[in-house]
Amino acid sequence: MVSPSVLVLLAWMAVPLAMTLYFSLIRYNLLYPGDNEFVGLENFTFFLTDEGFTAGMTNTLLLVCSVLLISVVVGVLIAVLVDTPFWGRGIVRVLLISPFFIMPTVSALVWKNLLLHPVSGVFAAVWRFFGAEPIDWFSTYPMEAIILIVSWQWVPFAVLLLMTAMQSLDQEQKDAARLDGAGPIAIFWHITLPHLARPIAVVVMIETIFLLSIFAEIFTTTGGGPGYETTNLAYLIYSQALLQFDVGLASAGGLVAVVLANVAAIILIRMIGKNLTDKA
Amino acid sequence: MNIKNTLAGCIATGMLAISTVSSGATTVTVGTVNNGDMIIMQRLSAEFEKQHPDIKLDWVILEENVLRQRLTTDIATNGGQFDVMTIGMYEAPIWGKLGWLETMDNLPEDYDIQDVIPSVRDGLSANGTLYALPFYGESSMTFYNKDLFSKAGISMPEQPTWQQMSEFASKTHDPENGIYGMCLRGKPGWGENMALLSTMVNTYGGRWFDEEWKPEINSPQWKEAIGFYIDLMSNYGPPGVSSNGFNENQALFSSGKCAIWVDATSAAGRLLNPKESQVGDSVGFASAPVAVTPKGSGWLWAWALAIPTSSDAKEAAKEFMLWATSKSYIELVGESDGWASVPPGTRASTYDNPKYVQQAPFAALTTQAMQNADPTDSTLEPVPYTGVQFVAIPEFQSIGTQVGKMISGALSKQMTLDEALDSSQKIAEREMKRYYK
């Protein structure tokens, strides 16, 4: 009974993968129609020896790690802060998580043209107000600017998860600790943080998967440049397929990226998944 | 009851109207660039639709780099998404030779193809066959702000040199008041920063390839030209140069923020138009700057309309193209938007028209620049390729885009000039080894 659906699913997955595999083994440049000979692993060697490849790898890692670090640290702090009741907490919570619901392209455009623009941006206006020279973010600190934009988008996701988790924290346990003379820092360190360990693990896992393929923010702001400064693997593959029209090379790159993503996933599941089940 | 009846009536007539439109009309999808002249074309096309009730136009207007990518993937995969494509002198002969474009023969008598400037016609042909109809043609020239120049007590010669540019920029540069000495393209892309930079390399005596097709991107001439450009822009350029393209610079110059701008002649009309420019009264024009040799110092380009063979509305598409590139269209723009705004650089008759010559002080300079630009002889040393600001081979799109990216890296000081040019050289060598036989 299940076999038809399994077959459909298999075809759904296997056909694109098989086509990518096939394309990666032939010479396939859109600008040279009819010249599709079998070239073996040439596309792979070209992709792996491309100057952009090392840059793409380092930038992907840098981007994922920095955004993860920022969203976990800032996320925990914000979640703990808004856990104590105060006037207008509902509105503050909604505002805190709203950046997550903005489309990546839109938020990138807003950051590029309204906030970080060296002539007309809000930041430039503030800089000038204090008599400082405005910073041209996307050419002087391109990677930092991208990390800033992506973090702005993904911190709310962490806040959302951690905020919900905070609500299940046993209030009596905290009261008992307070009676025993524990200060707020000790309570945070020994009660809150261990309680948040599992939601943090979930945040890390889900965000890693999405951050590996960040594209829209880079495309709209820096176009992978200047130089290779903000080219990550996703952007590199895009540039080969659609700016250089080399489908063969891009397919090889796509397969390399699939392997790398799987390696990352296995490591994550080994480390975090185990952590999750152990404590259950 | 009454309301219900009227409502039903409305819906019925509405559906009738929709069905008559959809049954009779052919839809022509036009892909074009978001440059000012094309925006005017889109606005005025209502006129065309009025004349041809059986043709409905569907517009896809995109930024240059994005448009190229959409059009190239569509035509190469035989996608058939577009019926009219806006392409340039680089694509027309290459795509035409591949059999991707409809030939432009059997044009009606009153279209007067002989009126089209010969260098433009040649640039859009391969082996004597025309593959696209020119919408506007351009070379490059120097724009400067006369007010700022007289304030600084300097004057622009008719044929400036790049060395003088740097001197003029230093005298007019006043960032405290939001005025920058020099605006040039910095946005990476073979049709963006590399268009200008190729002409700089040409005039400094450099070339893309030697006669054996070996790239020469890290030659001393390239180093001198690109090094000069980077110094110029870091000292006297506006902030954010590495993301400024043609449209961004036009906005900066026309709001009075730039003293000098070297770019396409086609911007001239808009800089004079008081509706679009705050500096209309003080724009001055001069030839594109030269250095070692005048050869290849100004580019030659035409944006043209072409029909991909995959189109399913070729007749209607051709009808539209004939309208948009005709003498009467130029007349129409002249009447509605002023003569200085008509699409320049395609027809001799435009330059014979006293109304145009009178309102467009840059007309003579434009034709002169377009005549001087010779795609078959644009470098000091001999080369195996044609093209002034591009190399007419399919690999160039990839090479030019990547080199543009490297140079924007050097411009924003993320790498040194030598690193950028050495990587560029390596990229070009790899690309040529892989595909050129």
Side-chain angles (χ1 to χ4, degrees), chain A residues 8-73:
Chain A
V8 167
L9 261 178
L10 211 63
W12 184 267
M13 242 178 58
V15 169
L17 191 64
M19 279 174 74
T20 314
L21 258 172
Y22 168 66
F23 287 152
S24 72
L25 297 176
I26 60 170
R27 170 170 298 170
Y28 186 11
N29 189 310
L30 286 181
L31 302 172
Y32 297 83
D35 184 19
N36 298 345
E37 54 188 289
F38 179 80
V39 289
L41 295 179
E42 190 195 274
N43 284 321
F44 288 91
T45 36
F46 260 86
F47 183 78
L48 293 174
T49 53
D50 193 308
E51 261 187 60
F53 177 70
T54 356
M57 280 293 286
T58 1
N59 286 332
T60 309
L61 273 180
L62 187 65
L63 186 65
V64 172
C65 294
S66 339
V67 177
L68 273 184
L69 189 72
I70 293 172
S71 41
V72 167
V73 172

Side-chain angles (χ1 to χ4, degrees), chain B residues 85-368:
Chain B
M85 290 185 163
T86 306
I87 58 173
M89 279 195 178
Y90 170 76
E91 291 95 348
I94 296 179
W95 292 4
K97 246 184 267 173
L98 288 170
W100 287 353
L101 298 175
E102 291 290 304
T103 53
M104 287 295 135
D105 37 21
N106 300 327
L107 299 168
E109 190 67 28
D110 62 346
Y111 182 78
D112 197 0
I113 187 72
Q114 295 308 319
D115 183 38
V116 172
I117 295 172
S119 64
V120 172
R121 223 166 37 202
D122 290 346
L124 297 172
S125 309
N127 306 330
T129 315
L130 187 66
Y131 287 104
L133 300 178
F135 180 66
Y136 74 74
E138 62 181 31
S139 181
S140 51
M141 57 159 62
T142 306
F143 307 106
Y144 64 101
N145 190 320
K146 285 187 202 156
D147 286 352
L148 294 175
F149 265 59
S150 63
K151 219 193 315 177
I154 45 177
S155 62
M156 177 72 82
E158 244 171 70
Q159 175 61 76
T161 65
W162 277 107
Q163 213 50 53
Q164 283 174 316
M165 285 290 148
S166 139
E167 192 186 309
F168 295 154
S170 75
K171 288 191 175 144
T172 45
H173 187 59
D174 184 10
E176 297 284 296
N177 294 312
I179 290 165
Y180 306 96
M182 192 81 198
C183 293
L184 294 175
R185 296 184 183 190
K187 191 192 220 168
W190 70 264
E192 285 282 4
N193 63 350
M194 290 323 289
L196 174 85
L197 292 173
S198 295
T199 63
M200 283 185 76
V201 168
N202 288 342
T203 191
Y204 272 89
R207 53 184 177 175
W208 276 96
F209 298 99
D210 71 5
E211 287 149 288
E212 262 72 60
W213 284 105
K214 194 180 169 327
E216 285 199 331
I217 305 174
N218 52 4
S219 69
Q221 289 90 339
W222 271 79
K223 273 183 193 151
E224 204 186 336
I226 308 296
F228 177 81
Y229 161 80
I230 290 172
D231 283 345
L232 191 62
M233 293 325 283
S234 348
N235 293 335
Y236 313 119
V241 190
S242 57
S243 53
N244 286 352
F246 173 75
N247 285 326
E248 289 82 359
N249 280 324
Q250 182 183 301
L252 282 170
F253 188 89
S254 58
S255 56
K257 288 190 191 303
C258 303
I260 314 171
W261 176 35
V262 180
D263 214 305
T265 52
S266 57
R270 278 189 297 281
L271 294 181
L272 283 178
N273 186 343
K275 265 186 250 161
E276 292 181 57
S277 156
Q278 297 165 22
V279 295
D281 297 330
S282 48
V283 190
F285 307 97
S287 298
V290 296
V292 180
T293 165
K295 274 187 177 182
S297 61
W299 70 63
L300 184 68
W301 184 255
W303 279 115
L305 304 177
I307 306 174
T309 41
S310 54
S311 158
D312 55 1
K314 287 173 193 148
E315 284 304 308
K318 195 163 181 184
E319 197 69 30
F320 169 71
M321 282 164 50
L322 289 173
W323 174 82
T325 58
S326 65
K327 283 182 206 169
S328 51
Y329 173 79
I330 292 176
E331 195 88 20
L332 181 67
V333 180
E335 299 303 325
S336 70
D337 288 75
W339 277 91
S341 309
V342 306
T346 52
R347 285 174 172 274
S349 59
T350 312
Y351 292 88
D352 294 338
N353 188 328
K355 282 186 260 181
Y356 181 66
V357 178
Q358 196 200 342
Q359 285 193 32
F362 48 85
L365 207 55
T366 304
T367 36
Q368 192 200 332

